[in-house]
Amino acid sequence: MNILYDDVANAVDWISSFGGLKQGGTTRLLYSAEWLAAQNALKQRMTEIGMHSYFDDIGNLYGRFEGSKYKDEVIMSGSHVDTVVNGGKLDGQLGIIAALLAMQYLKENYGQPLRTLELISMAEEEGSRFPYVFWGSKNVFAIANHHDVETIQDSEGIKFVDAMQTCGFKFNTQPARNNIKAFLEIHIEQGGVLEKEQKSIGVVTSIVGQRRYNIRLIGEANHAGTTPMGYRKDAVYAFSRICNESINKAIKVGDPLVLTFGHVEPKPNVVNVVPGEVLFTMDCRHTNKAQLVQFTEEIEADMLRIANELGLEIEINRWMDEDPIPMDNKLIKMLEQICKEEKLSYRVMHSGAGHDSQIFAPRVPTAMLFVPSIKGISHNPAEDTDTKDLVEGIKALTHALYKLAYQE
């Protein structure tokens, strides 16, 4: 299978130019001028290689090679076209470019598929402009509605609906897709495992479940010089106890559990006052729902105990509770077999980040492939993957699409 290095590198540079920044990196936010230019350029390229290309009502872009025998059975691949602010050149858009190159190769070398091959460039996944995520994939399955977005706006006060209409789209409730027989997404790992283990491909078994919290510790602000240690209700000290005990427990549990205290805000946050309040976040992830629930419930109980011991109040708000999402076992086995047959260096792994595949997987057979991220960096202008690894990943995707779309 001859997937050319130059074709891959040129395609990545091309799509990155839409929203490309002079200082490096890419910013391409939902319904921005850069976003619309990228979608229109992709649509033109789809048309140039013989695909039937079209937008849905909210701006998801599709390109189709219709099947000769089972045209109503769709084998779909792609990802999201939006980026984070000052992001890299691969997150999301790699999945689009890879599917485009793979499908073009298959059509040129094997002709019309038995089942319809369909590329999707999803409108949005990141939530970088508006406080809403998975807008593109949720609309594929009609699980988003007008009320979700009618009142939200971006940091400049532009309303979601106005931005959508400016780009020529107008939200209408469209029927859920029921003809997708398989969905494949290739993505950068956004972590350092594949690079450290010198593997070119990750076959993803599941996407982690997540529980996220906003937590408030309420003590008593007081004079730093005149308040004896035994009389204090120090919210930072309470937080330090919580952080230390929780992280140590997480280390003992081990992979794939991860625990992060990512934002900490002490008040009044001055040098000569005992802090009377701390606001902080907690993010916990695991591939097993029961273990995720058990661990976080233990941590919640620990936080209540520590606050009580120190005479503080605590408010615990769990605002996200997402279940782990398994990928399709048959597709996982197929991808493993392809890697073995083609002598591609791979490992089986889970995804610690969220992806559009988690919207697809509960509804259609879904699988993911990872390629390495250099130094594990993502959401950053330094985000990169060695071109030889990109080529290996696209080879695996191409073989998978061939098996699903061209074989009985």
Coordinates of all heavy atoms in Angstrom, one line a residue, residues 174-213:
Q174 N -32.8 17.6 12.5 CA -32.7 16.7 11.4 C -32.7 15.3 12.0 O -32.4 15.1 13.1 CB -31.4 17.0 10.6 CG -30.2 17.1 11.5 CD -29.0 17.7 10.8 OE1 -29.2 18.4 9.8 NE2 -27.8 17.5 11.3
P175 N -33.2 14.3 11.2 CA -33.4 13.0 11.7 C -32.0 12.3 12.1 O -31.0 12.7 11.4 CB -34.0 12.2 10.6 CG -33.8 13.0 9.4 CD -33.7 14.4 9.8
A176 N -32.0 11.5 13.0 CA -30.8 10.8 13.4 C -30.3 9.8 12.3 O -31.2 9.2 11.6 CB -31.0 10.0 14.7
R177 N -29.0 9.8 12.0 CA -28.5 8.8 11.0 C -28.7 7.4 11.5 O -28.3 7.1 12.7 CB -27.0 9.1 10.8 CG -26.7 10.4 10.1 CD -27.1 10.4 8.6 NE -26.3 9.4 7.9 CZ -25.2 9.6 7.2 NH1 -24.7 10.8 7.2 NH2 -24.6 8.6 6.6
N178 N -29.3 6.6 10.7 CA -29.5 5.2 11.1 C -28.9 4.2 10.1 O -29.2 3.0 10.1 CB -31.0 4.9 11.3 CG -31.8 5.1 10.0 OD1 -31.2 5.4 8.9 ND2 -33.1 5.1 10.1
N179 N -28.0 4.7 9.2 CA -27.4 3.9 8.1 C -25.9 3.7 8.3 O -25.3 3.2 7.4 CB -27.8 4.5 6.7 CG -27.2 5.9 6.5 OD1 -26.8 6.5 7.5 ND2 -27.2 6.3 5.3
I180 N -25.4 4.2 9.4 CA -23.9 4.1 9.6 C -23.7 2.7 10.2 O -24.1 2.4 11.3 CB -23.4 5.2 10.6 CG1 -23.8 6.5 10.0 CG2 -21.9 5.0 10.8 CD1 -23.5 7.7 11.0
K181 N -22.9 1.9 9.5 CA -22.6 0.5 9.9 C -21.3 0.4 10.7 O -21.1 -0.6 11.5 CB -22.6 -0.4 8.7 CG -23.9 -0.5 7.9 CD -25.1 -0.8 8.8 CE -26.4 -0.8 8.1 NZ -27.5 -1.0 9.0
A182 N -20.4 1.4 10.5 CA -19.2 1.4 11.3 C -18.6 2.8 11.2 O -18.8 3.5 10.2 CB -18.2 0.4 10.8
F183 N -18.0 3.3 12.3 CA -17.3 4.6 12.4 C -15.9 4.3 12.9 O -15.7 3.7 13.9 CB -18.0 5.6 13.3 CG -17.3 6.9 13.4 CD1 -17.3 7.8 12.3 CD2 -16.7 7.2 14.6 CE1 -16.6 9.0 12.5 CE2 -16.0 8.4 14.7 CZ -16.0 9.3 13.7
L184 N -14.9 4.9 12.1 CA -13.5 4.8 12.5 C -13.0 6.2 12.6 O -13.1 7.0 11.7 CB -12.7 4.0 11.5 CG -13.2 2.5 11.2 CD1 -12.3 1.9 10.1 CD2 -13.1 1.7 12.5
E185 N -12.2 6.4 13.7 CA -11.6 7.7 13.9 C -10.1 7.5 14.2 O -9.8 6.7 15.1 CB -12.3 8.5 15.1 CG -11.7 9.9 15.3 CD -12.4 10.7 16.4 OE1 -13.2 10.0 17.1 OE2 -12.1 11.9 16.5
I186 N -9.3 8.2 13.5 CA -7.8 8.2 13.8 C -7.5 9.5 14.4 O -8.0 10.6 14.0 CB -7.0 7.9 12.5 CG1 -5.5 7.7 12.9 CG2 -7.1 8.9 11.5 CD1 -4.6 7.2 11.8
H187 N -6.6 9.5 15.4 CA -6.4 10.7 16.2 C -5.0 10.6 16.8 O -4.4 9.5 17.0 CB -7.4 10.8 17.4 CG -7.6 12.2 17.9 ND1 -6.8 12.8 18.8 CD2 -8.7 13.0 17.7 CE1 -7.3 14.0 19.1 NE2 -8.4 14.2 18.4
I188 N -4.4 11.8 17.1 CA -3.1 11.7 17.8 C -3.4 11.3 19.3 O -4.5 11.5 19.8 CB -2.4 13.1 17.8 CG1 -3.4 14.2 18.3 CG2 -1.8 13.4 16.5 CD1 -2.7 15.5 18.5
E189 N -2.4 10.7 19.9 CA -2.6 10.1 21.2 C -2.9 11.2 22.3 O -3.6 11.1 23.2 CB -1.4 9.3 21.7 CG -1.6 8.7 23.1 CD -0.3 8.2 23.6 OE1 0.7 8.0 22.9 OE2 -0.2 7.9 24.9
Q190 N -2.2 12.4 22.1 CA -2.2 13.5 23.1 C -1.6 13.0 24.4 O -1.9 13.6 25.5 CB -3.6 14.0 23.3 CG -4.2 14.5 22.0 CD -5.7 15.0 22.2 OE1 -6.6 14.2 22.3 NE2 -5.8 16.3 22.2
G191 N -0.7 12.1 24.4 CA 0.0 11.6 25.6 C 1.3 11.0 25.1 O 1.6 11.0 23.9
G192 N 2.1 10.5 26.0 CA 3.4 10.0 25.7 C 3.7 8.5 25.6 O 4.8 8.1 25.5
V193 N 2.6 7.7 25.8 CA 2.8 6.3 25.9 C 3.4 5.7 24.6 O 4.4 4.9 24.7 CB 1.5 5.6 26.3 CG1 1.6 4.1 26.3 CG2 1.0 6.1 27.6
L194 N 2.8 6.0 23.5 CA 3.3 5.3 22.2 C 4.7 5.7 21.9 O 5.5 4.9 21.5 CB 2.3 5.7 21.1 CG 0.9 5.1 21.1 CD1 0.1 5.7 20.0 CD2 1.0 3.6 21.0
E195 N 5.0 7.0 22.1 CA 6.4 7.4 21.8 C 7.4 6.7 22.8 O 8.4 6.2 22.3 CB 6.5 8.9 22.0 CG 7.9 9.5 21.6 CD 8.0 10.9 21.8 OE1 7.6 11.4 22.9 OE2 8.6 11.6 20.9
K196 N 7.0 6.7 24.1 CA 7.9 6.0 25.0 C 8.1 4.5 24.7 O 9.2 4.0 24.9 CB 7.4 6.2 26.4 CG 7.6 7.6 27.0 CD 7.1 7.7 28.4 CE 7.4 9.0 29.1 NZ 6.7 10.1 28.4
E197 N 7.1 3.9 24.2 CA 7.2 2.5 23.9 C 7.6 2.2 22.5 O 7.6 1.0 22.1 CB 5.8 1.8 24.3 CG 5.5 1.9 25.7 CD 4.3 1.0 26.1 OE1 3.8 0.2 25.2 OE2 3.9 1.0 27.3
Q198 N 7.8 3.3 21.7 CA 8.3 3.2 20.3 C 7.3 2.4 19.5 O 7.7 1.5 18.7 CB 9.7 2.6 20.3 CG 10.7 3.5 21.0 CD 12.1 2.9 20.8 OE1 12.4 1.7 20.8 NE2 13.1 3.8 20.8
K199 N 6.0 2.7 19.6 CA 4.9 2.1 18.8 C 4.4 3.1 17.9 O 4.2 4.3 18.3 CB 3.8 1.5 19.7 CG 4.3 0.5 20.8 CD 4.8 -0.8 20.2 CE 5.1 -1.8 21.3 NZ 5.6 -3.1 20.7
S200 N 4.0 2.7 16.7 CA 3.5 3.7 15.7 C 2.0 3.8 15.8 O 1.4 4.8 15.4 CB 3.8 3.2 14.3 OG 5.2 3.3 14.1
I201 N 1.3 2.8 16.4 CA -0.2 2.8 16.4 C -0.7 2.3 17.7 O -0.2 1.4 18.3 CB -0.7 1.8 15.3 CG1 -0.3 2.4 13.9 CG2 -2.2 1.6 15.4 CD1 -0.6 1.4 12.8
G202 N -1.7 3.0 18.2 CA -2.5 2.5 19.3 C -3.9 2.1 18.9 O -4.6 2.8 18.2
V203 N -4.3 0.9 19.3 CA -5.6 0.4 19.0 C -6.4 0.6 20.3 O -6.1 0.0 21.4 CB -5.6 -1.1 18.6 CG1 -7.1 -1.6 18.5 CG2 -4.8 -1.3 17.4
V204 N -7.4 1.5 20.2 CA -8.1 2.0 21.4 C -9.2 1.0 21.8 O -10.1 0.7 21.0 CB -8.6 3.4 21.2 CG1 -9.4 3.9 22.4 CG2 -7.5 4.4 20.9
T205 N -9.2 0.6 23.1 CA -10.3 -0.3 23.5 C -11.4 0.5 24.2 O -12.6 0.0 24.2 CB -9.7 -1.2 24.6 OG1 -9.1 -0.5 25.6 CG2 -8.7 -2.1 23.9
S206 N -11.2 1.7 24.8 CA -12.2 2.4 25.4 C -11.8 3.8 25.7 O -10.6 4.2 25.6 CB -12.6 1.8 26.8 OG -11.5 1.8 27.7
I207 N -12.8 4.7 25.9 CA -12.6 6.1 26.3 C -13.0 6.2 27.8 O -14.0 5.7 28.2 CB -13.4 7.0 25.4 CG1 -12.9 6.9 24.0 CG2 -13.2 8.5 25.9 CD1 -13.7 7.7 23.0
V208 N -12.1 6.8 28.6 CA -12.3 6.8 30.0 C -13.6 7.5 30.4 O -14.0 8.4 29.7 CB -11.1 7.5 30.7 CG1 -9.9 6.7 30.6 CG2 -10.9 8.9 30.3
G209 N -14.1 7.1 31.5 CA -15.2 7.8 32.2 C -14.6 9.0 33.0 O -13.4 8.9 33.4
Q210 N -15.3 10.0 33.2 CA -14.8 11.2 33.9 C -15.8 11.7 35.0 O -17.0 11.7 34.7 CB -14.6 12.4 33.0 CG -13.6 12.1 31.8 CD -13.3 13.3 31.0 OE1 -13.1 14.4 31.5 NE2 -13.3 13.1 29.7
R211 N -15.3 12.0 36.1 CA -16.0 12.8 37.1 C -15.3 14.0 37.4 O -14.1 14.0 37.8 CB -16.2 11.9 38.4 CG -17.3 10.9 38.3 CD -17.6 10.2 39.6 NE -18.9 9.6 39.5 CZ -19.6 9.1 40.6 NH1 -19.0 9.2 41.8 NH2 -20.8 8.6 40.5
R212 N -16.0 15.2 37.3 CA -15.3 16.5 37.6 C -16.1 17.2 38.7 O -17.3 17.1 38.7 CB -15.2 17.3 36.3 CG -14.3 16.7 35.3 CD -14.1 17.7 34.1 NE -13.4 17.1 33.0 CZ -13.1 17.7 31.9 NH1 -13.5 18.9 31.7 NH2 -12.4 17.0 30.9
Y213 N -15.3 18.0 39.5 CA -15.9 18.6 40.7 C -15.5 20.0 40.8 O -14.3 20.4 40.4 CB -15.4 17.9 41.9 CG -15.9 16.5 42.1 CD1 -15.2 15.4 41.4 CD2 -16.9 16.1 43.0 CE1 -15.6 14.1 41.6 CE2 -17.2 14.8 43.2 CZ -16.6 13.8 42.5 OH -16.9 12.5 42.7

